[in-house]
Amino acid sequence: IQRYSAELQSSWDAFVRASRNGTFLLQRGFMDYHADRFADHSLLFYRNEELIAVLPAEEREGVLNSHGGLTYGGLIVGAAGTAVRVLKCFELLVDYLRTKTAIHTLRYTAAPSFYASYPTEEDRYALFRLGAHLSAVKLSSVIPLSSPLSPNQLRKRKVKQCEKAELTLSETPDLKAFWQMLEENLAARHATTPVHTLQEMLLLKERFPEQIHLHCMVDKLGVTHGGCVVFETETTAHVQYIASTPYGREVGALDGLFMHLIRDRYAHKQWFDFGVSVEQGGKVLNEGLVMQKEGFGARAMNYETWELTV
């Protein structure tokens, strides 16, 4: 086991790209955009000279988080990541934390199964074997795009409203204008701010232009009335941010947008992930929000966080 350092970036990124459960969020260009806010403690696992797994992680107050600055982390493995090897990796990790660090707890948010290109849940089994417990379960609403359920009648009516209002999909959306709308929405409706600043998102969009997309619905004058930022991985289109104007909500701008994304733009993907609808680590469900997503045919898959005292 080896702690990550900057000279290992190329090896790290190459492994994540070739892995069966890594995404661009776990490449260093994404992880390190907010490196000043986290004490990185990522780890690489070797069998002889062969790199067989990596663990994106940061350390805070005696806790190793995988990963506190990301939606998920977890052990990233390649095709050779068998159950026995993953168990060995976790045994090695626990021994490393006990003997080489002052860390007392591992907090591990596994990458949901819909991000994996091949079954990869050996880590959950290893955590169970070591006595870890679930500390948070965040319900997300996901559509399998090969066989989606039909939207309910309310969503269909809202889509027709959007068509009647003659809103169209923008091919050259303005991220700055969308961010202003997003900030206004979050401040007014949830008393919060986006996780990413506009400057951070512009930087990430520049680094990952093929993975980060902004889709907006505009009127005849080019005014944006609804939109969403999508993080695109090999298997999944994940909705990261959603915002709309009062007029956009009135005429179903987002309904029209989502139907386009589900039926056309991302129909070639395996999954469409609307994101989580919970608060307080999953203890509170936003029923109105989850029902809206379920109206498009989405159903639950979970982001799980495990904790292990080491």
Side-chain angles (χ1 to χ4, degrees):
I1 193 167
Q2 181 178 4
R3 186 168 178 174
Y4 175 80
S5 55
E7 59 268 20
L8 296 171
Q9 178 174 350
S10 60
S11 296
W12 177 285
D13 285 346
F15 185 85
V16 170
R17 284 193 294 268
S19 71
R20 65 184 204 251
N21 63 329
T23 69
F24 75 95
L25 278 76
L26 305 177
Q27 292 182 30
R28 301 310 307 195
F30 194 102
M31 289 179 61
D32 293 342
Y33 84 90
H34 52 15
D36 57 315
R37 282 180 259 163
F38 297 94
D40 189 89
H41 200 134
S42 298
L43 299 167
L44 299 89
F45 298 78
Y46 296 87
R47 181 177 183 268
N48 297 321
E49 300 300 317
E50 178 191 6
L51 181 60
I52 63 168
V54 299
L55 182 71
E58 49 91 13
E59 179 183 351
R60 190 185 320 156
E61 299 178 351
V63 178
L64 188 73
N65 296 286
S66 180
H67 186 295
L70 301 170
T71 310
Y72 51 85
L75 192 73
I76 308 305
V77 297
T82 62
V84 171
R85 284 191 177 183
V86 170
L87 283 169
K88 291 288 186 183
C89 286
F90 274 87
E91 291 168 4
L92 183 61
L93 172 62
V94 170
D95 181 68
Y96 166 82
L97 296 177
R98 284 174 174 167
T99 62
K100 302 290 178 61
T101 77
I103 290 169
H104 54 73
T105 301
L106 170 66
R107 185 175 295 128
Y108 181 102
T109 301
S113 58
F114 53 81
Y115 284 120
S117 59
Y118 208 78
T120 313
E121 293 197 6
E122 295 87 356
D123 57 347
R124 280 78 152 177
Y125 177 68
L127 288 161
F128 164 75
R129 282 273 299 267
L130 290 168
H133 68 276
L134 277 171
S135 62
V137 178
K138 296 182 178 181
L139 182 148
S140 192
S141 301
V142 184
I143 297 174
L145 293 174
S146 61
S147 54
L149 294 175
S150 178
N152 64 20
Q153 291 302 314
L154 174 59
R155 300 276 69 88
K156 289 179 179 178
R157 287 199 301 271
K158 296 297 285 185
V159 169
K160 288 183 178 180
Q161 278 186 277
C162 182
E163 294 171 351
K164 187 175 180 180
E166 298 184 333
L167 298 185
T168 57
L169 187 70
S170 171
E171 298 298 329
T172 56
D174 181 349
L175 188 60
K176 185 176 180 181
F178 173 80
W179 222 254
Q180 181 178 348
M181 181 172 60
L182 174 65
E183 289 175 338
E184 291 172 355
N185 276 203
L186 291 176
R189 305 178 76 180
H190 304 287
T192 187
T193 59
V195 173
H196 303 91
T197 65
L198 172 61
Q199 290 70 29
E200 288 170 343
M201 188 53 64
L202 287 169
L203 172 65
L204 292 171
K205 181 80 171 71
E206 181 181 351
R207 290 181 178 178
F208 298 98
E210 301 303 315
Q211 290 82 29
I212 299 176
H213 307 279
L214 171 61
H215 305 283
C216 291
M217 299 297 281
V218 301
D219 62 20
K220 292 180 179 180
L221 298 177
V223 178
T224 297
H225 290 288
C228 68
V229 172
V230 171
F231 285 180
E232 180 179 348
T233 72
E234 181 181 348
T235 63
T236 303
H238 165 75
V239 179
Q240 181 70 19
Y241 291 112
I242 305 170
S244 62
T245 63
Y247 177 74
R249 288 190 286 277
E250 180 184 333
V251 299
L254 292 177
D255 296 85
L257 174 59
F258 286 138
M259 289 307 297
H260 167 76
L261 298 182
I262 293 165
R263 291 180 174 176
D264 301 313
R265 177 63 174 81
Y266 293 111
H268 63 290
K269 294 293 178 183
Q270 292 176 249
W271 307 97
F272 189 88
D273 175 28
F274 277 105
V276 301
S277 304
V278 299
E279 302 168 12
Q280 299 179 27
K283 294 179 180 179
V284 176
L285 176 66
N286 186 328
E287 295 188 13
L289 181 59
V290 76
M291 287 174 65
Q292 181 185 24
K293 297 171 182 178
E294 290 171 344
F296 290 97
R299 293 297 183 266
M301 297 180 79
N302 296 323
Y303 291 71
E304 297 178 354
T305 298
W306 294 70
E307 282 198 18
L308 176 67
T309 301
V310 299

